[in-house]
Amino acid sequence: MRCPYCRHADSRVVDSREADDGQLIRRRRACPECGKRFTTVEEAVLAVVKRSGVTEPFSRTKIIGGVRKACQGRPVDDDSIALLAQRVEETVRAKGAAEIPSHEVGLAILGPLRDLDEVAYMRFASVYRSFDSLADFEREIESLRAAARARDNGGADAVEAAGRPN
């Protein structure tokens, strides 16, 4: 690492620490030429490959913007949206790949958004999955209803089992 003071081509790492829940590494460095110390920050870059083939850095801000549009007029607060974006980033980074297709980022958004607000989910899904007709909406609504029935039946089964003697 080049010294920012004297431009010497080498420096020595004096201390390293994780920051931002392990997403960043702060390194304290010393220049052997001028003796001054400076700090560098390293971050693992996650790239998103768009459909067009263009690669851009992953942006949690971009996810927040898209989800915020889907949640416009809905009773969803900014903290919930920020938490959703954090969950999406953690899911995407957990795959361990340096590059991830934008399609997988969209899929990582859909699940948590469905849990957060079904109307916002439908808005986002309609754009993300390019709904062309009313039938597309009907299929997705039926899918939501089926998931709700499964949740309700699971809850009813658990209540019924709790009431049975052993």
Side-chain angles (χ1 to χ4, degrees), residues 119-140:
V119 172
Y121 166 80
M122 285 299 294
R123 290 174 178 170
F124 189 89
S126 70
V127 173
Y128 175 71
R129 293 188 173 148
S130 303
F131 287 3
D132 291 327
S133 67
L134 189 55
D136 293 335
F137 281 93
E138 289 171 342
R139 269 193 301 278
E140 198 63 39

Side-chain angles (χ1 to χ4, degrees), residues 153-166:
N153 287 342
D157 293 344
V159 169
E160 183 180 324
R164 277 190 231 137
N166 289 337

